[in-house]
Amino acid sequence: MLDRYEFVQRAHCYAIIDGVDSVLIGEARTPLIIAGPVDRSNKQYEELVPKVRDLVGKQTMLVNGFAKEATDLLEKDPSDWEGGLKMLLCYKGMPKHNRYMKLREEPRFQKLQDKVEAELMLQKRIVELEEQLYFVVDERNRQLHLTEKGRLELSPENPDYWVLTDLVDEFSKIEMMAKLPPEEKEKKKLEVRAEYDERAEALHTIQQLVHAFVLKRRDVDYVVEDGKVVIVDENTGRKMTGRRWSDGLHGAVEAKEGVKIEKETQTLATITIQNYFRLYEKLSGMTGTAETEAAEFMHTYNMDVIVVPPNVPTKRSDLNDVVYKTKREKYAAVVDEIERLHKLDLPILVGTTSVANSETVSRMLRSRKLPHNVLNAKNHAKEAEIVAQAGLAGAITIATNMAGRGTDIKLGPGVRDDRPDEDGDMIPGGLQIIGTERHESRRIDRQLRGRAGRQGDPGTSRFFVSLEDDLMLWFGSERISTWMSRLGMQDGEPIMHPLVTRAIGNAQKKIESINHERRKRTLEYDDVMNKQRETIYKLRREILLEDDLRDVMLDVFADAIEGEFRNTYGDVKDPNGWNSEGFFNWIGSVLLAAEIEEVREQRFFDFNKLHETAMGFVVDAYDAKRESLGAELTNRLARYIALQTITGEWQDHLLAIDSLRESIGLRGYGQREPLVEFTRDATNLFSEMLLSVHKDIFEKFFRTQVVSPEEEARRRAEAQKLAQQRYSKPEEAPTGAPPAAEAEQPPQKGKPHSGLETYRRDMPKVGRNDLCPCGSGKKYKDCHGSPTLRESRQHTVPTGAPPEE
């Protein structure tokens, strides 16, 4: 089966995209990811949910107390140090606590909290403060950690269970045990590693569950539908069906909500939006807001942006922004404006930048008993109905950016007419657009404005901004705040001036430039992966599409032999360090060929000659196996082994690349360019992965024995016969008894026989979290200890397998 990347690359496509700017620019921040389920147990979530629920409940009680104390102290004295300290405790313990967030809306209190935090960090007392909590939340980095108080609450009998040991120190201590034999040291290291892995897994689960309870809010960050947790896009308000949070967080939210915990997923393939669409031969699109991104379209896709004038000149009035000091003042002004326009029987569309903001406006409108519709993820199914009514007289519609594009709001009868307000001023008719916040991208704002004034209809648009909005905090809020203070402007009094609107536009341009650089850097990183992607998919395509795999497999075997030689002996030009006997011993063990004995004593001084000799044995072994099995079965076996190996190794490689990508930025502190470092390390990882792929295919192909159905039946019959002989009476042997190596020992003479004897092991029992004795490197529970995997771990393959992919 061809994956999406291969399909597009093989096709000669002409992609026509609607809303081209949103797809090629806006959504280019996140890659396309193809993921598959991981066979991993979810029981830990279910077992730990009650403990985490209690822990979060106790933390909530603590934060309730801190928030109340902070409110009381700051009402008496807005600069009270202790009040700022209590606010900081609320922020560290539960940053989305409602009462705390109300306090934080006041700029004076926010500055006080920041001042207290800076002072404590300078005095190195921040850890002392955090120990008053059960856990500490780092909202910016989406991380949290348990305090001593929290560890004691989770495990009163063993709080150190939640503290991870340093493996390097533990291994060093084991190495210092002089009286311990080497094999015992290795065994002890495995035990320490297994205990570390078990603790790390449990601690990770605890952290993700706390994250789910504290930072993920139902009907804001996600909704629950039909027993499933569905993510909500915080910007558009649309439900992102089919997507899952990574690293076990989605499973934690499912455990929190008590729905079925789906299997975790692992990345199978990934590509950026940019590289995905650059696979098409031609690209074109139409949108109303691409002009601001013209430079990026040319740089990334080599596409020109041509501006087409409107069919009918627009009559929409785009008014200057209204700037307030605080969000509280801004939202109060927004509601006043909505009420004023509603009395004039005009349709109003209120645009918000997030679901949370839409809920805030809705709550304020309900307090004034103003009828309205909210268009976000909760009532996404009614989108068409709500939009159809949004142009009727007196209609109030609150929407996230999901209604800001691709919708045409038809005006109702009488709406186009101008009408006077209470002061006698004429208000243009048509749809009235109110933006509650400037978006970081100008094109999103233009999409919202563009809902009004379509096809020559009248309308107005205006944005309400506060100095506490993210955009204003990043650029220029202090300067504007100082200007407002010098002018003697009172609370609730806004600024409406073209200079302010222009300053906001300049701030947006700066952020657009920053985001462009981020997308550009993301593309540069993905270009490194793109070369690797092309190499691995080229090999997969050959294996999938070739009718006769002989030449393809022999090329893989040749690469495996050369790679293993280079990996073992390094320099292929210096024969002094070669061990040709050991090298041919390895080849002989893979091919199971006795005739290699004749060259094991031979000295080689030329690598090409050595490689040619080795490949001669490989070709003979392949042809012999092909003659024995037949061409069709040999191809099926080769295809099955190759595809399984490539898929598994590629998944592990993507996981390693993800880890590298997350940490590579830290190398900038060492005055090293992260992109250069990433390119080098990713290339080295890929070379190692390719060597492993070639070697594994080589070894698995020749070491896999294909068993005919007749031979398999004969072996089963012999195994059952041997098993029956171990019982005192043949008729007592159960149907399908285990093979002789696993059957019970016969009863001792002179003792009564009760049917089955106790099975006695010759080796110690393997624990579920111990490393599997088969040498796979996996835990026993994920390998031979898993019932679903036991059959697939056999060393023989029936002739009915392998199937085509």
Side-chain angles (χ1 to χ4, degrees):
M1 185 173 120
L2 295 179
D3 56 51
R4 184 191 301 179
Y5 179 86
E6 294 177 63
F7 174 78
V8 173
Q9 194 168 35
R10 292 178 58 209
H12 298 285
C13 299
Y14 189 107
I16 302 175
I17 306 167
D18 183 27
V20 64
D21 57 331
S22 298
V23 176
L24 300 186
I25 303 296
E27 296 180 11
R29 292 173 294 182
T30 55
L32 287 169
I33 297 174
I34 301 174
V38 178
D39 190 11
R40 192 174 298 156
S41 173
N42 293 318
K43 288 185 178 179
Q44 266 200 332
Y45 288 116
E46 299 169 356
E47 294 169 357
L48 293 173
V49 161
K51 289 186 176 182
V52 172
R53 198 182 297 275
D54 291 343
L55 190 72
V56 172
K58 291 183 177 181
Q59 179 102 320
T60 303
M61 295 292 291
L62 271 180
V63 175
N64 285 343
F66 294 145
K68 183 178 184 305
E69 292 176 37
T71 303
D72 295 340
L73 290 169
L74 294 174
E75 282 180 354
K76 297 176 182 177
D77 181 5
S79 61
D80 187 278
W81 178 271
E82 191 67 23
L85 200 65
K86 299 300 181 183
M87 276 189 68
L88 182 58
L89 278 168
C90 293
Y91 175 67
K92 293 281 187 180
M94 204 158 281
K96 294 188 182 295
H97 189 277
N98 290 334
R99 195 164 187 176
Y100 162 72
M101 292 184 76
K102 289 182 180 178
L103 285 173
R104 197 176 176 181
E105 289 178 358
E106 181 63 48
R108 294 177 301 171
F109 298 160
Q110 178 61 50
K111 288 182 180 178
L112 176 62
Q113 176 189 314
D114 294 341
K115 181 179 178 182
V116 170
E117 183 176 18
E119 184 66 27
L120 289 178
M121 291 183 71
L122 190 64
Q123 298 175 4
K124 299 182 178 179
R125 292 175 51 204
I126 199 74
V127 176
E128 178 185 331
L129 176 79
E130 292 174 349
E131 285 301 322
Q132 299 182 49
L133 302 165
Y134 290 99
F135 53 83
V136 177
V137 181
D138 182 353
E139 188 182 19
R140 293 189 190 97
N141 299 317
R142 300 290 180 181
Q143 296 175 348
L144 57 91
H145 67 268
L146 295 170
T147 64
E148 179 66 28
K149 189 174 183 178
R151 294 193 292 269
L152 190 62
E153 181 66 30
L154 285 173
S155 300
E157 68 288 347
N158 184 21
D160 290 339
Y161 180 80
W162 305 104
V163 180
L164 296 180
T165 56
D166 189 326
L167 284 179
V168 176
D169 288 347
E170 293 297 320
F171 288 169
S172 298
K173 291 177 184 177
I174 294 173
E175 288 295 337
M176 295 294 289
M177 298 178 181
K179 296 182 179 180
L180 210 61
E183 58 272 13
E184 288 296 322
K185 288 181 180 179
E186 290 302 315
K187 182 179 178 182
K188 208 165 186 63
K189 286 181 182 179
L190 289 176
E191 292 173 354
V192 170
R193 181 72 197 210
E195 183 182 2
Y196 177 91
D197 289 343
E198 182 180 350
R199 288 189 178 190
E201 188 177 351
L203 182 59
H204 178 72
T205 303
I206 285 284
Q207 290 172 335
Q208 294 296 58
L209 283 170
V210 174
H211 187 163
F213 275 94
V214 175
L215 296 179
K216 295 301 180 188
R217 296 167 295 172
R218 183 168 179 169
D219 295 332
V220 177
D221 301 300
Y222 65 92
V223 294
V224 178
E225 288 184 346
D226 302 324
K228 294 181 181 294
V229 172
V230 182
I231 301 174
V232 174
D233 188 300
E234 64 179 348
N235 292 319
T236 66
R238 291 188 183 275
K239 290 180 287 189
M240 304 165 72
T241 306
R243 296 196 187 182
R244 292 177 65 84
W245 285 302
S246 61
D247 208 20
L249 178 58
H250 206 97
V253 176
E254 289 169 333
K256 165 192 171 184
E257 294 295 340
V259 301
K260 180 185 176 183
I261 304 175
E262 304 289 344
K263 288 185 177 180
E264 291 186 32
T265 58
Q266 180 179 342
T267 301
L268 305 181
T270 178
I271 187 173
T272 58
I273 288 282
Q274 297 100 316
N275 274 327
Y276 174 71
F277 278 106
R278 290 201 298 196
L279 294 174
Y280 288 91
E281 288 186 351
K282 295 181 180 179
L283 284 176
S284 70
M286 182 176 291
T287 182
T289 53
E291 185 181 5
T292 59
E293 314 294 342
E296 187 166 353
F297 276 114
M298 177 54 68
H299 172 268
T300 305
Y301 304 103
N302 197 28
M303 294 172 66
D304 285 319
V305 175
I306 301 173
V307 179
V308 179
N311 177 41
V312 180
T314 180
K315 297 179 181 178
R316 186 186 66 241
S317 300
D318 296 327
L319 306 177
N320 290 325
D321 294 355
V322 185
V323 182
Y324 292 86
K325 281 188 175 181
T326 65
K327 286 185 178 180
R328 178 170 49 81
E329 295 173 10
K330 177 188 72 174
Y331 281 118
V334 166
V335 175
D336 288 342
E337 180 70 2
I338 292 172
E339 188 172 21
R340 182 179 75 90
L341 295 174
H342 180 68
K343 289 179 179 178
L344 298 175
D345 220 21
L346 288 170
I348 307 158
L349 176 63
V350 184
T352 63
T353 57
S354 68
V355 176
N357 290 345
S358 69
E359 296 290 337
T360 299
V361 177
S362 176
R363 190 167 53 250
M364 296 178 73
L365 290 179
R366 285 198 302 270
S367 68
R368 298 202 187 184
K369 298 181 179 180
L370 290 172
H372 62 280
N373 288 315
V374 181
L375 182 56
N376 57 29
K378 293 183 182 179
N379 48 14
H380 173 60
K382 299 180 180 179
E383 178 177 358
E385 179 184 346
I386 293 174
V387 170
Q389 299 175 358
L392 299 179
I396 303 175
T397 307
I398 305 171
T400 51
N401 292 332
M402 65 190 301
R405 65 182 189 218
T407 56
D408 190 11
I409 299 175
K410 301 293 184 182
L411 297 180
V415 169
R416 292 177 175 81
D417 302 331
D418 297 347
R419 57 207 70 195
D421 64 3
E422 296 176 351
D423 299 327
D425 298 328
M426 292 300 294
I427 304 297
L431 184 63
Q432 310 294 304
I433 302 293
I434 296 177
T436 60
E437 188 173 342
R438 280 281 200 169
H439 197 275
E440 62 185 35
S441 174
R442 288 173 294 164
R443 64 184 180 80
I444 304 297
D445 292 342
R446 293 180 70 179
Q447 286 175 352
L448 180 59
R449 287 191 192 273
R451 296 311 96 210
R454 297 166 75 93
Q455 295 296 320
D457 285 338
T460 62
S461 68
R462 168 170 278 168
F463 282 88
F464 288 72
V465 183
S466 84
L467 299 183
E468 296 176 356
D469 293 344
D470 291 339
L471 182 70
M472 300 303 292
L473 289 173
W474 294 333
F475 295 98
S477 63
E478 292 185 2
R479 185 173 67 253
I480 297 176
S481 179
T482 303
W483 185 25
M484 293 174 75
S485 299
R486 286 178 179 173
L487 292 175
M489 304 185 73
Q490 304 298 318
D491 290 345
E493 188 176 354
I495 290 181
M496 287 180 289
H497 196 281
L499 289 176
V500 177
T501 302
R502 194 177 307 130
I504 294 172
N506 290 334
Q508 288 177 310
K509 289 180 183 178
K510 291 180 182 178
I511 297 179
E512 286 171 1
S513 177
I514 292 171
N515 289 336
H516 179 201
E517 287 300 316
R518 288 175 179 170
R519 290 191 291 268
K520 181 181 175 184
R521 181 51 61 97
T522 299
L523 182 59
E524 289 172 343
Y525 278 101
D526 193 61
D527 283 341
V528 177
M529 289 300 299
N530 212 31
K531 297 175 183 177
Q532 300 181 5
R533 208 178 285 125
E534 290 172 0
T535 302
I536 207 72
Y537 284 136
K538 179 182 178 183
L539 178 59
R540 289 186 78 249
R541 278 196 302 277
E542 289 179 347
I543 294 168
L544 277 167
L545 302 177
E546 287 290 335
D547 294 329
D548 188 351
L549 292 179
R550 183 180 185 276
D551 292 341
V552 176
M553 295 302 288
L554 289 179
D555 287 343
V556 169
F557 299 157
D559 290 339
I561 290 172
E562 181 177 350
E564 178 65 14
F565 190 89
R566 290 179 182 273
N567 190 52
T568 306
Y569 304 111
D571 189 2
V572 297
K573 297 180 180 179
D574 182 15
N576 293 323
W578 296 359
N579 179 3
S580 56
E581 181 181 356
F583 182 68
F584 278 103
N585 280 338
W586 168 68
I587 293 178
S589 69
V590 174
L591 302 182
L592 305 176
E595 60 270 17
I596 290 183
E597 291 287 345
E598 63 191 54
V599 297
R600 284 178 176 163
E601 303 296 332
Q602 184 178 344
R603 288 293 306 274
F604 288 88
F605 299 95
D606 179 67
F607 175 73
N608 292 331
K609 179 64 175 176
L610 182 146
H611 189 267
E612 181 182 344
T613 303
M615 280 304 297
F617 292 118
V618 172
V619 171
D620 291 343
Y622 184 91
D623 290 340
K625 190 159 191 169
R626 180 189 177 98
E627 184 177 351
S628 172
L629 298 178
E632 182 183 354
L633 185 55
T634 303
N635 279 332
R636 294 182 65 193
L637 176 65
R639 183 172 287 118
Y640 176 80
I641 289 174
L643 291 176
Q644 289 292 321
T645 303
I646 292 171
T647 300
E649 293 283 354
W650 180 244
Q651 290 177 27
D652 294 341
H653 178 67
L654 290 177
L655 199 61
I657 290 294
D658 286 343
S659 300
L660 176 65
R661 181 71 178 85
E662 289 176 4
S663 61
I664 202 70
L666 297 175
R667 301 196 189 180
Y669 293 106
Q671 305 301 313
R672 289 182 288 179
E673 171 57 40
L675 180 60
V676 175
E677 295 287 307
F678 177 81
T679 303
R680 188 190 66 238
D681 288 3
T683 302
N684 292 337
L685 285 172
F686 185 69
S687 298
E688 294 172 5
M689 188 271 293
L690 269 186
L691 172 60
S692 180
V693 166
H694 295 151
K695 183 180 175 182
D696 284 355
I697 293 175
F698 176 53
E699 292 181 341
K700 288 176 181 177
F701 177 80
F702 285 107
R703 288 176 177 171
T704 300
Q705 301 298 313
V706 180
V707 181
S708 65
E710 295 78 10
E711 177 66 15
E712 186 179 9
R714 187 185 66 77
R715 291 187 181 185
R716 288 183 179 274
E718 286 185 359
Q720 185 160 341
K721 183 178 178 181
L722 288 172
Q724 289 174 340
Q725 292 175 357
R726 292 183 176 271
Y727 289 83
S728 58
K729 296 179 182 179
E731 61 272 12
E732 291 180 353
T735 304
E742 298 178 8
E744 289 75 13
Q745 297 295 325
Q748 298 180 13
K749 294 181 179 179
K751 291 187 178 181
H753 180 63
S754 59
L756 295 177
E757 289 290 319
T758 302
Y759 173 69
R760 299 183 182 279
R761 297 181 180 85
D762 296 329
M763 299 290 291
K765 181 179 178 181
V766 181
R768 280 173 48 76
N769 289 304
D770 294 344
L771 291 177
C772 189
C774 74
S776 66
K778 297 182 178 181
K779 292 182 180 180
Y780 179 68
K781 66 182 181 181
D782 296 326
C783 192
H784 280 76
S786 171
T788 60
L789 297 181
R790 286 177 188 142
E791 283 298 320
S792 63
R793 297 290 183 183
Q794 302 301 317
H795 296 288
T796 58
V797 180
T799 53
E804 302 284 354
E805 183 170 292

